[in-house]
Amino acid sequence: MITKVVNKMKHTDKGAYIVMNLGILLLLAVFVSFQLGRYPISAKEVFGIVFSKVLPIEKYWADRPEFVFINIRLPRVLLACLVGCCLSTAGAAYQGVFQNPMAAPDILGASAGAAFGAALAILHHGSSTVITLSAFCFSLLTVAIVFFISKKAKGKAVIGLILAGIMVKSLFSAGTSFIKLVADPNDQLPAITFWLLGSLAGAKLSTVAFAVVPMGIGLIPLLLIRWRLNILTLGDDEAKTMGVNARLIRLIVIISATFVTAASVSVSGMIGWVGLVIPHLARKLVGNNYNSLMPASMLLGAIFLLVVDNFSRNLLTTEIPLGIITALVGAPFFICLMTRKGDVY
Amino acid sequence: MSLKVKNLTFGYDERPVLKDVSFAVEENELLSILGPNGVGKSTLFRCILGLLQGYEGEITLHNRDIRKMGIREMAKHVAYIPQSHYTPFNYSVFEMVLMGTTVQVSAFSKPGKRQAGLAEAALERMGIADLKYRGYTQISGGERQLVLIARALVQEARMLILDEPTANLDYGNQIRVLSQIKTLAREGYTIVQSTHNPDQTFLFSDRVLALKDGRVFADGPPGQVYSEKLIKVLYGVDVEVQSLYGDQVRVSIPKGIVQTDYPRKKALLN
């Protein structure tokens, strides 16, 4: 009897326990990241600046660290967390909807569309706001096109979506390549190339404010319907006989995941691997049940991108684009996960 | 839970699959559907489960047209048990069973204590409580089938539909799964299953519905339906049907392979 109870605790509370620990880890990572940078800010200063916003603390720090913290460090750290969280969540959600462990946030062309939108804006000398907006709109547009094409396709809805995604993605990639070809090789082409590599270098508080709305619109429903996402992985027919409206849930998940992906990519550029690798790491930690998997993916994604971004801005005197580091870290990491001994979880 | 199918006709792209199929299943009845591959057994099930629309005729549950019932309402009345399958993600057996309770919880919540209790009771009931924390994709086919039955039980629907529950199972698992199904029928579930084994149909069902070319060829208690002619018509195989133990069992013996005119020795049969 006692062993039964302990056994039960071990399994049902395991997920919640790990998620809680990840939350603590994220807070620690954020606190450390606040201190790191070209202009180091001491732990004491960070502590004072953060808590002076909510508690009446006498100012014991200079103006300069506060300025750097509020205008540079804070938005950058927040954006790294948000983008990491979103890409990883979108990846986990798409994997469930498409019943496919290889699905990543760009499966429906959200990234390819964003890249095209950004390149187009750069070609027309758009400001950074215009570039972000254009990337965001084209990202949503691409997924909408994919969705409507798949509606016309016969057969399994999921396969139709994946195939339409591949086609439309390649169309937009061709468009991006063409823009690169006609872009001015002195300033536009490097700008496009740099954008495509992915970076959080331009993060401002206004960028965070822009991104956080669509991210919230997407993340909240994904968190709310996460249990039903489990049933979706069994396929439409089975889900329906179990009382779950598979088409409706899939639509909600796709719209939500697309919003968070579009918002992330439009502010950060192309950052690969996070959306594929992190959900799998989360699966290894808490299992495949979306009940714990979704929050675990969110937190792990945030931690991962925050750490990677710290390397990106501190390792060399010039910034290393994030996309390069995530690919460098992601691919070997994924191979390790794949070949690691142990249970399939 | 009574199910009535009236003049059901259905075809994919003009190609008719089911033609004018009518039958009824009474409460607590265990109906087995026999028929060759491609005769439309799965299509019939998909119609009954509300997964296919656009059929002619009428399907009613408790005298209510299923076309007027929502997905949730259907799931509260009818549970579907697919063939033992693999899932793309490895859920634990307990999680897999717990998924069956989804219809009882609202869209934004997850199964709670009551549902967890149901899942544990169902695992106990199917005799697989020790598999609770094993991965669903790591257990045997027979065990997976039992998990899927447990998952249907926690759905708390009174009618169970099983599509070839013994496909791909070894002999022992076939008997174990079918015995469980029969026990469930005796406990008050209404069950419709399809199968490819006529002998098992005779052993494990109250009634047999035989389909041929999309039509009902025979419908009745196994004792009336199971005959040499039935096997010949359905499967195109000449058999001799032997009745054993006072007609508690009937077995088909294929002619041409077995010399059925050979004098049998009683001693060998024991």
Side-chain angles (χ1 to χ4, degrees):
Chain A
M1 185 61 202
I2 294 167
T3 48
K4 231 179 174 178
V5 172
V6 172
N7 232 340
K8 203 166 122 189
M9 262 200 26
K10 213 173 83 194
H11 283 270
T12 45
D13 297 345
K14 197 181 109 195
Y17 179 73
I18 292 175
V19 168
M20 198 182 75
N21 280 320
L22 287 175
I24 295 169
L25 199 62
L26 176 63
L27 286 179
L28 280 175
V30 167
F31 188 69
V32 173
S33 306
F34 278 153
Q35 302 166 43
L36 302 172
R38 195 83 35 83
Y39 185 96
I41 304 172
S42 73
K44 202 178 153 199
E45 284 170 323
V46 169
F47 204 78
I49 297 167
V50 171
F51 284 100
S52 69
K53 302 296 174 205
V54 282
L55 297 170
I57 299 175
E58 189 126 342
K59 192 174 169 183
Y60 55 78
W61 54 91
D63 285 339
R64 200 168 147 80
E66 181 160 0
F67 178 84
V68 170
F69 179 81
I70 299 291
N71 293 299
I72 298 167
R73 199 72 39 88
L74 180 67
R76 176 103 190 215
V77 167
L78 282 182
L79 204 62
C81 292
L82 283 173
V83 169
C85 165
C86 284
L87 290 176
S88 157
T89 310
Y94 281 136
Q95 284 167 11
V97 163
F98 292 109
Q99 303 156 42
N100 183 350
M102 293 314 291
D106 59 352
I107 190 165
L108 294 181
S111 306
F116 179 79
L120 198 66
I122 294 170
L123 186 71
H124 289 93
H125 309 285
S127 67
S128 67
T129 318
V130 173
I131 295 170
T132 303
L133 264 176
S134 167
F136 183 70
C137 294
F138 270 95
S139 181
L140 294 186
L141 180 76
T142 314
V143 178
I145 293 172
V146 168
F147 202 80
F148 284 111
I149 292 176
S150 79
K151 284 270 146 205
K152 302 270 175 210
K154 285 183 180 176
K156 265 180 93 178
V158 166
I159 305 289
L161 273 167
I162 292 177
L163 289 179
I166 293 171
M167 299 308 148
V168 175
K169 226 165 26 181
S170 84
L171 276 182
F172 275 92
S173 302
T176 310
S177 302
F178 185 75
I179 293 177
K180 277 175 160 175
L181 186 74
V182 296
D184 182 346
N186 290 317
D187 55 349
Q188 289 174 338
L189 188 57
I192 293 172
T193 310
F194 192 75
W195 194 94
L196 290 178
L197 290 173
S199 168
L200 296 167
K204 290 189 277 281
L205 273 179
S206 61
T207 327
V208 178
F210 166 81
V212 85
V213 177
M215 285 174 173
I217 291 174
L219 288 176
I220 291 165
L222 285 179
L223 261 182
L224 285 177
I225 57 168
R226 64 187 195 276
W227 169 259
R228 275 173 160 65
L229 200 45
N230 288 321
I231 288 95
L232 225 56
T233 66
L234 303 174
D236 282 19
D237 284 358
E238 238 175 286
K240 256 179 125 176
T241 61
M242 289 161 84
V244 173
N245 188 339
R247 270 157 94 187
L248 179 67
I249 303 282
R250 184 165 56 231
L251 186 68
I252 295 173
V253 171
I254 287 179
I255 291 176
S256 307
T258 301
F259 257 81
V260 297
T261 310
S264 308
V265 180
S266 61
V267 293
S268 68
M270 309 278 261
I271 298 173
W273 287 96
V274 180
L276 178 65
V277 176
I278 300 302
H280 279 283
L281 182 62
R283 286 177 195 281
K284 293 267 175 191
L285 281 178
V286 299
N288 290 311
N289 186 343
Y290 276 95
N291 211 28
S292 324
L293 177 61
M294 206 59 118
S297 296
M298 288 176 168
L299 294 168
L300 264 180
I303 295 168
F304 176 77
L305 207 64
L306 185 60
V307 171
V308 169
D309 190 49
N310 283 339
F311 281 107
S312 153
R313 60 198 176 91
N314 291 310
L315 204 58
L316 303 176
T317 44
T318 52
E319 285 222 9
I320 311 166
L322 263 181
I324 296 179
I325 307 185
T326 53
L328 265 178
V329 178
F333 185 67
F334 197 63
I335 294 168
C336 277
L337 273 188
M338 270 167 54
T339 51
R340 201 186 69 145
K341 275 192 185 148
D343 53 9
V344 189
Y345 280 115
Chain B
M1 175 60 50
S2 68
L3 169 80
K4 282 198 187 72
V5 175
K6 252 187 265 167
N7 308 109
L8 178 70
T9 299
F10 180 85
Y12 297 102
D13 298 325
E14 309 291 306
R15 188 174 57 85
V17 178
L18 298 170
K19 297 164 206 157
D20 204 22
V21 172
S22 296
F23 64 94
V25 190
E26 296 306 319
E27 213 143 327
N28 299 359
E29 204 172 23
L30 172 49
L31 174 77
S32 291
I33 298 182
L34 269 182
N37 288 121
V39 78
K41 296 189 294 290
S42 297
T43 305
L44 175 63
F45 283 171
R46 285 167 58 80
C47 288
I48 295 174
L49 289 162
L51 298 173
L52 285 176
Q53 264 93 40
Y55 53 78
E56 285 166 44
E58 195 185 38
I59 301 171
T60 57
L61 271 176
H62 270 322
N63 300 321
R64 285 196 56 204
D65 192 333
I66 63 158
R67 277 178 287 210
K68 297 197 175 79
M69 293 166 77
I71 291 173
R72 279 179 83 103
E73 204 191 344
M74 276 295 288
K76 282 179 183 166
H77 290 298
V78 185
Y80 171 62
I81 299 163
Q83 280 176 27
S84 118
H85 56 23
Y86 279 103
T87 48
F89 300 106
N90 187 20
Y91 286 97
S92 77
V93 164
F94 181 69
E95 285 164 346
M96 197 67 179
V97 174
L98 201 57
M99 286 189 208
T101 64
T102 304
V103 70
Q104 299 159 19
V105 297
S106 64
F108 293 154
S109 51
K110 60 172 181 122
K113 269 213 175 93
R114 191 185 97 86
Q115 282 77 22
L118 279 177
E120 277 180 36
L123 284 172
E124 204 79 49
R125 167 81 184 68
M126 300 314 290
I128 46 171
D130 53 326
L131 300 178
K132 190 174 169 188
Y133 298 121
R134 294 275 299 281
Y136 174 78
T137 57
Q138 289 153 307
I139 56 179
S140 77
E143 290 167 337
R144 281 202 303 275
Q145 191 67 63
L146 293 174
V147 171
L148 292 175
I149 296 176
R151 193 184 76 181
L153 295 185
V154 300
Q155 201 169 318
E156 297 192 314
R158 297 311 292 170
M159 179 164 190
L160 307 177
I161 292 190
L162 300 95
D163 195 358
E164 288 175 38
T166 55
N168 306 318
L169 299 191
D170 70 37
Y171 181 73
N173 280 326
Q174 290 183 19
I175 300 299
R176 274 186 283 275
V177 166
L178 287 170
S179 306
Q180 288 281 14
I181 294 169
K182 193 167 184 178
T183 315
L184 288 171
R186 294 294 87 87
E187 284 172 10
Y189 285 93
T190 307
I191 299 176
V192 181
Q193 62 174 350
S194 64
T195 175
H196 279 304
N197 189 328
D199 297 357
Q200 287 177 358
T201 320
F202 192 85
L203 259 183
F204 291 103
S205 43
D206 300 325
R207 233 175 79 218
V208 176
L209 182 80
L211 293 177
K212 168 72 181 165
D213 295 330
R215 290 179 198 280
V216 175
F217 174 73
D219 181 1
Q224 279 176 25
V225 174
Y226 192 177
S227 64
E228 286 164 8
K229 188 186 161 214
L230 179 86
I231 306 301
K232 173 73 184 161
V233 170
L234 291 191
Y235 303 108
V237 177
D238 286 311
V239 294
E240 181 182 311
V241 171
Q242 283 289 338
S243 166
L244 299 171
Y245 305 113
D247 205 27
Q248 288 182 79
V249 191
R250 281 187 202 175
V251 283
S252 288
I253 297 147
K255 285 179 184 167
I257 298 167
V258 179
Q259 281 180 286
T260 44
D261 53 351
Y262 197 80
R264 286 184 299 149
K265 279 183 188 164
K266 211 152 186 158
L268 277 177
L269 281 172
N270 289 331

